[in-house]
Amino acid sequence: MAKKVAVIGAGASGLISLKCCVDEGLTPTCFERTDDIGGLWKFKVREIFLFLAPVLLLVQGIERFKGQYFHSREYKKPEGFDGKHILVIGIGNSAADIAVELSTKAAQVFISTRQGSWVISRISKHGYPLDMVLRTRFRSMLQNVLPRRVRTWMWERQMNRWFNHEYYGLEPQNKYLMKIPAVNDDLPSRILYGAIKVKSRVVELTETSAIFEDGTVEKDIDVIVFATGYTYSFPFLEDSLVKVEDNMVSLYKYMFPSHLEKSTLACIGLIQPQGSIFPTAEMQARWATRVFKGLCTLPSERTMMEDIIKRNKRRIDLFGNNLSQIFQTHYIDYLDELAAEIGAKPDLLSLLFRDPKLAVKVYFGPCSSYQYRLEGPGKWEGARSAILSQEKRLLKPLKTRALAPTFNFPVSFLLQILGLLAVALAFVFQLQWY
């Protein structure tokens, strides 16, 4: 008889968990407090949320402010904000998206940031989506082997390739940290022509004004949007199972409580990878369901606690100790780590001898979920074809205008080859000179 599994929440991670349970022959039952599925991705708010309670304590004078204020979770559309002066507090993806959208209706939008942030475009090299270019095994390898100073220089150079963040008042205070950037194609242009103005941290609010850390004051503020993140809690669980302290949860590989006698509880999606959350939550669920079935076992409590401590120290070193970085982790490294637990991690060396064409795509191409369906449980026969055809399938919908075929000589590639030859020749001449 299949084991019964309770899935709490029908958001993105919950739906993925349901599918993985079914794939493993388990019998899942989902418990959702609302009347529909979707969670944070559902475009409808019917309840009054208490997210503002802990956030408002950080803004002195909010009780005096006479305008409208709310958390970004409650924002849905720009209509109704015409001609208003709006202050958005925060610089994450939600803050940037809301500020840009409101700037199409408002008289003026201000975006307040305490530490700044890198902002990058969704469109990357040759017009490909950012993830297809940035999230590759080759880049992940460089990130792991290069000295920190070199990594930091490369990261800053890449972040400033689109526009200089210092000029726009967005440059992060701690540039050496590998914090997740905000992804927004329109924010720089809205700042450029003045629709959005970047301000420092808000230190005080009056009835109609905002006073900032640099001493400047913006008057006649009508609306404040708090895009300052969320607090984490598990009201349906006892503290003895999962305890939140300082908005942090101590979990083995961001999933399992280390002290339970039986491995029957896992948290899915409580993580902030430097990549898509959906493949990450799926990999977590694939591992968790096999642990529930007894096909995979967890180490001892001591070993798990040692891993939690070590992982937390490394996270702070790489990403900082800000509350928004508590669950941040490297994307491909983490996926590989979980995939290895269930035997689904691609064997690149074996693949290189068996299928060199595929091996090259797996290593230098985008690290998509197809790679974790080549081997192991959940193996899919169409994974190879899907990996090899990713770029072609991506470009096909864009080709709505027929063009005559042209020969594009790879000039940049030729320059790279010539540069390498020049370095090699210089090295040879130097040896001969000595």
Side-chain angles (χ1 to χ4, degrees):
M1 181 178 179
K3 291 184 179 180
K4 295 182 178 180
V5 178
V7 177
I8 302 176
S13 297
L15 296 175
I16 289 171
S17 299
L18 289 170
K19 177 189 179 296
C20 291
C21 284
V22 173
D23 288 345
E24 288 292 341
L26 300 173
T27 305
T29 301
C30 185
F31 297 87
E32 168 59 40
R33 68 174 180 173
T34 67
D35 61 355
D36 205 349
I37 64 174
L40 288 175
W41 297 87
K42 179 182 175 184
F43 197 76
K44 180 171 64 174
V45 178
R46 291 186 178 180
E47 303 177 23
I48 301 299
F49 291 90
L50 299 178
F51 296 127
L52 281 177
V55 174
L56 297 187
L57 296 176
L58 305 176
V59 182
Q60 184 179 352
I62 188 65
E63 71 282 353
R64 298 196 299 267
F65 183 67
K66 291 188 176 181
Q68 180 186 5
Y69 60 89
F70 53 88
H71 191 272
S72 58
R73 177 65 177 88
E74 299 176 66
Y75 173 82
K76 292 303 172 187
K77 54 186 179 180
E79 282 71 26
F81 296 95
D82 302 71
K84 295 185 180 295
H85 291 75
I86 302 172
L87 171 62
V88 179
I89 300 179
I91 194 60
N93 284 311
S94 295
D97 289 344
I98 291 172
V100 165
E101 191 168 77
L102 285 174
S103 69
T104 64
K105 299 287 185 180
Q108 182 65 62
V109 174
F110 304 96
I111 188 165
S112 168
T113 172
R114 181 176 53 178
Q115 295 183 342
S117 175
W118 299 119
V119 179
I120 55 178
S121 172
R122 292 177 175 84
I123 302 174
S124 189
K125 190 176 180 181
H126 300 307
Y128 284 105
L130 179 68
D131 279 5
M132 292 195 72
V133 176
L134 204 59
R135 308 306 174 200
T136 69
R137 292 183 178 277
F138 174 69
R139 285 177 174 267
S140 181
M141 178 275 295
L142 290 179
Q143 182 176 261
N144 291 329
V145 302
L146 291 176
R148 181 171 192 142
R149 184 170 294 183
V150 176
R151 292 201 316 263
T152 303
W153 175 80
M154 291 178 62
W155 176 257
E156 183 177 354
R157 189 168 181 268
Q158 183 176 8
M159 292 299 103
N160 278 321
R161 185 172 296 170
W162 184 24
F163 69 97
N164 190 312
H165 286 64
E166 181 184 358
Y167 297 165
Y168 285 68
L170 292 169
E171 185 176 67
Q173 287 182 2
N174 297 322
K175 298 187 293 183
Y176 65 91
L177 297 177
M178 307 291 285
K179 296 171 66 173
I180 294 178
V183 182
N184 194 289
D185 295 301
D186 301 313
L187 182 61
S189 63
R190 301 298 169 93
I191 295 173
L192 187 63
Y193 66 75
I196 297 176
K197 293 182 179 179
V198 181
K199 305 293 294 185
S200 59
R201 181 175 68 93
V202 177
V203 294
E204 188 177 354
L205 295 170
T206 67
E207 293 182 351
T208 59
S209 303
I211 304 172
F212 298 91
E213 193 172 37
D214 58 5
T216 59
V217 179
E218 294 295 343
K219 300 180 179 180
D220 302 321
I221 300 295
D222 301 300
V223 181
I224 299 176
V225 183
F226 289 92
T228 47
Y230 300 87
T231 55
Y232 301 98
S233 65
F234 298 87
F236 45 84
L237 294 176
E238 297 178 358
D239 283 349
S240 59
L241 296 176
V242 178
K243 188 175 183 179
V244 180
E245 292 182 315
D246 297 326
N247 211 33
M248 186 173 179
V249 187
S250 181
L251 298 171
Y252 177 58
K253 296 189 179 181
Y254 302 106
M255 289 178 59
F256 293 100
S258 61
H259 64 283
L260 299 185
E261 183 178 348
K262 295 183 178 180
S263 305
T264 56
L265 176 64
C267 297
I268 307 298
L270 194 62
I271 193 169
Q272 191 178 19
Q274 288 185 321
S276 175
I277 184 63
F278 301 110
T280 308
E282 181 191 42
M283 189 58 69
Q284 287 183 326
R286 289 175 68 184
W287 181 33
T289 51
R290 294 185 70 78
V291 169
F292 296 159
K293 289 180 67 176
L295 299 175
C296 297
T297 57
L298 300 183
S300 66
E301 179 181 352
R302 179 180 177 181
T303 301
M304 286 192 282
M305 280 305 304
E306 289 175 351
D307 180 86
I308 290 172
I309 294 170
K310 181 179 178 181
R311 192 180 299 266
N312 189 49
K313 288 181 178 179
R314 176 169 170 77
R315 175 191 61 80
I316 294 173
D317 180 59
L318 290 173
F319 309 121
N321 202 24
N322 191 285
L323 289 178
S324 62
Q325 267 65 52
I326 284 178
F327 300 108
Q328 190 163 329
T329 185
H330 284 312
Y331 182 59
I332 297 176
D333 289 351
Y334 184 69
L335 286 177
D336 278 354
E337 187 178 355
L338 300 191
E341 296 284 352
I342 65 173
K345 180 182 175 181
D347 185 346
L348 289 173
L349 185 59
S350 173
L351 202 60
L352 183 61
F353 289 103
R354 291 187 289 109
D355 195 338
K357 181 180 179 181
L358 179 61
V360 169
K361 282 291 185 181
V362 168
Y363 191 67
F364 292 100
C367 183
S368 56
S369 296
Y370 304 129
Q371 294 192 8
Y372 301 103
R373 296 290 178 175
L374 289 168
E375 302 292 341
K379 179 180 179 179
W380 178 44
E381 295 300 327
R384 180 184 187 276
S385 176
I387 292 171
L388 295 177
S389 62
Q390 284 181 105
E391 295 179 7
K392 183 178 180 181
R393 289 184 288 112
L394 170 74
L395 295 176
K396 186 176 181 180
L398 303 178
K399 297 188 175 183
T400 56
R401 172 180 170 234
L403 297 174
T406 58
F407 176 72
N408 294 318
F409 187 77
V411 178
S412 60
F413 179 73
L414 177 60
L415 291 175
Q416 291 176 12
I417 296 297
L418 292 174
L420 289 173
L421 289 174
V423 171
L425 288 172
F427 182 71
V428 170
F429 283 127
Q430 186 178 19
L431 290 177
Q432 290 179 346
W433 179 262
Y434 286 103

